[in-house]
Amino acid sequence: MISDSGDLALVLGGGGARAAYQVGFLRALGRMFPDLQVPILTGVSAGAICAAFLANHPGSLREASEELAELWSKLTVERVFKSDTGSLASNVFRWSVRLISGGVRIAPPTRGMVDTSPLRDFLLDVFKSKDGSLPGVERNLASGKLRSLAITTTKYATNQSISWVQSGVEGDWVRPQRRSVHAKIRIEHVLASCALPIFFPAIQIGEDWHGDGGIRLTTPLAPALHLGAQRLIAISTRYEHAQGEIERPKIEGYPPPAMILGVMLSSIFLDMLDQDAMNMQRLNELLAELPPEKHRSLRPAGLLLLRPSQDIGRLASAYEPTLPPMFRFLTRGLGTRETQRPDSLSMVLFQPEYAKRLIDIGQADAERRADEIRAFVSGESRPAIAQTGFWRI
């Protein structure tokens, strides 16, 4: 029995290619609840692709999640960015000239380390859009199947986190360094949200340039809460190491650039969700101890947080040989083979074999916790959960 799902939200975070893990969970959720309607969808970075796809799809959750899994299973590096020798060599040359030119105007323009025009073509095909619009979102809003979709980007000019909201309800929010903007969400918003810093070029929206939404979004649960969610399902792509694993060195000697980059990207795209979840748990505990008249505008909310049961960053090493030769050569130059857990590589490893493995892991993790997921979606109250509002899976 499913309770009223009007307050239920899906929060889909970043992680590049690691988002295939989210797709596996969504497929399991669709099979558990084929006709479940999730009225509030929020996405950032690669999660923006999944959120927009669900919001735009005309069918049931099961149909949408199965189709999404099929698409991710066929996604290749070549469909995300140009990986041929000519394109990569040209970009390497442009960056090299820029670095040694001292900023003189004769230096060729550089916009990202790779050309992501294939990703735009891929998304236009996936969303069956000729002009970049997502008409399915408006149809689902009109029918009541969807209440709100939020896609977050980073506005480089002002260093702000912008949540683009297409919704059937009114209301904006403005917080330090983050705010909402009502808009009809298009392919450009999705592309901008998943424009990995440095790797992918920024995307122009109106007069401004935007990049990956995970860069400045320090509270990834906030957009769903602002849109009225009282129960949130958040899918992390960060593996939580046991204490013994944390203390075990991942490399001997000086860390290569790939490892340093991996730490930076993980802090941006993977760690913030855990921090936000912990803060939400503490707030729920505080509200439980206060009388309702002391809550002011705050309200408790339930959170189901699912994370990988395996280190999907470490798994990336096994699939590194499947990358296109020139791109593989460049990543090895950064030292991806010198660390046991190439997290930076795992975020750009858009290869079918790796994606299928992550989808399978995500689905298996969800199926192992099927009872808890069913209880949460059905609105079941359990003593331990009622105290904190925080479901950690």
Side-chain angles (χ1 to χ4, degrees):
M1 180 71 178
I2 301 175
S3 64
D4 179 13
S5 61
D7 61 358
L8 184 64
L10 265 176
V11 178
L12 303 175
R18 299 164 73 113
Y21 176 81
Q22 298 176 346
V23 176
F25 171 84
L26 292 173
R27 184 165 68 177
L29 186 67
R31 291 178 179 181
M32 291 179 202
F33 304 99
D35 299 314
L36 175 67
Q37 292 186 10
V38 183
I40 302 170
L41 298 168
T42 71
V44 62
S45 194
I49 298 176
C50 299
F53 184 87
L54 295 178
N56 190 66
H57 198 278
S60 66
L61 176 62
R62 176 162 189 164
E63 292 168 339
S65 60
E66 293 287 353
E67 190 174 332
L68 188 60
E70 182 70 16
L71 291 169
W72 273 85
S73 297
K74 296 178 179 178
L75 189 59
T76 63
V77 166
E78 291 85 354
R79 301 212 69 177
V80 178
F81 55 84
K82 292 183 179 180
S83 58
D84 60 281
T85 300
S87 295
L88 292 176
S90 175
N91 278 347
V92 169
F93 173 77
R94 288 171 179 269
W95 276 96
S96 300
V97 172
R98 183 177 182 86
L99 288 172
I100 65 174
S101 69
V104 297
R105 292 187 177 182
I106 60 171
T110 53
R111 293 185 176 180
M113 296 181 65
V114 295
D115 181 348
T116 56
S117 56
L119 179 58
R120 177 182 173 81
D121 294 337
F122 174 74
L123 292 180
L124 287 172
D125 181 51
V126 165
F127 289 104
K128 299 177 176 59
S129 174
K130 294 182 180 180
D131 59 358
S133 64
L134 305 178
V137 175
E138 195 161 357
R139 286 196 299 268
N140 287 333
L141 284 169
S143 70
K145 176 183 175 183
L146 177 70
R147 193 167 83 198
S148 301
L149 169 66
I151 301 295
T152 301
T153 66
T154 298
K155 185 177 177 179
Y156 283 129
T158 60
N159 200 23
Q160 286 180 304
S161 176
I162 307 295
S163 290
W164 303 90
V165 177
Q166 189 167 350
S167 178
V169 297
E170 297 296 326
D172 296 311
W173 65 86
V174 178
R175 298 291 186 272
Q177 293 303 313
R178 60 183 175 89
R179 64 186 177 90
S180 65
V181 176
H182 275 264
K184 285 191 176 182
I185 292 176
R186 297 173 52 84
I187 294 291
E188 285 76 16
H189 298 97
V190 179
L191 283 169
S193 186
C194 56
L196 282 167
I198 305 300
F199 281 109
F200 293 177
I203 302 297
Q204 189 170 17
I205 301 177
E207 299 296 322
D208 303 304
W209 292 92
H210 293 252
D212 199 299
I215 300 173
R216 293 292 294 166
L217 187 60
T218 56
T219 53
L221 300 174
L225 293 171
H226 283 300
L227 292 170
Q230 295 183 28
R231 292 175 296 149
L232 292 75
I233 300 175
I235 312 170
S236 172
T237 60
R238 176 181 177 273
Y239 171 70
E240 187 171 27
H241 294 85
Q243 190 60 37
E245 293 178 294
I246 294 174
E247 300 299 331
R248 191 179 304 129
K250 307 300 184 297
I251 189 173
E252 295 181 4
Y254 192 82
M259 187 174 187
I260 297 173
L261 184 60
V263 172
M264 293 173 58
L265 293 177
S266 294
S267 68
I268 294 172
F269 300 114
L270 308 183
D271 296 348
M272 287 297 101
L273 181 56
D274 287 329
Q275 184 67 34
D276 203 19
M278 183 176 67
N279 290 337
M280 181 173 168
Q281 179 182 7
R282 289 173 174 172
L283 180 59
N284 282 336
E285 292 171 346
L286 177 62
L287 292 175
E289 296 177 0
L290 292 175
E293 61 270 17
K294 298 287 188 180
H295 287 188
R296 299 185 180 182
S297 61
L298 299 175
R299 54 183 170 77
L303 173 66
L304 183 153
L305 176 61
L306 188 91
R307 66 175 70 257
S309 60
Q310 300 181 43
D311 188 341
I312 58 180
R314 182 185 291 269
L315 288 176
S317 295
Y319 298 94
E320 184 259 3
T322 67
L323 286 168
M326 183 61 178
F327 183 64
R328 185 175 67 237
F329 175 80
L330 293 175
T331 59
R332 288 181 178 181
L334 292 173
T336 54
R337 303 186 77 186
E338 299 173 37
T339 174
Q340 297 177 16
R341 197 178 73 227
D343 286 332
S344 59
L345 179 66
S346 71
M347 296 185 186
V348 294
L349 192 58
F350 296 98
Q351 289 295 87
E353 297 87 350
Y354 184 59
K356 290 176 183 176
R357 180 73 183 278
L358 298 193
I359 290 171
D360 289 342
I361 294 173
Q363 182 176 344
D365 286 351
E367 290 171 347
R368 269 195 299 272
R369 299 292 187 170
D371 288 344
E372 291 97 326
I373 294 171
R374 288 192 177 94
F376 185 87
V377 171
S378 301
E380 180 181 329
S381 177
R382 295 185 178 183
I385 296 162
Q387 292 175 7
T388 65
F390 182 70
W391 290 45
R392 190 183 184 95
I393 295 183

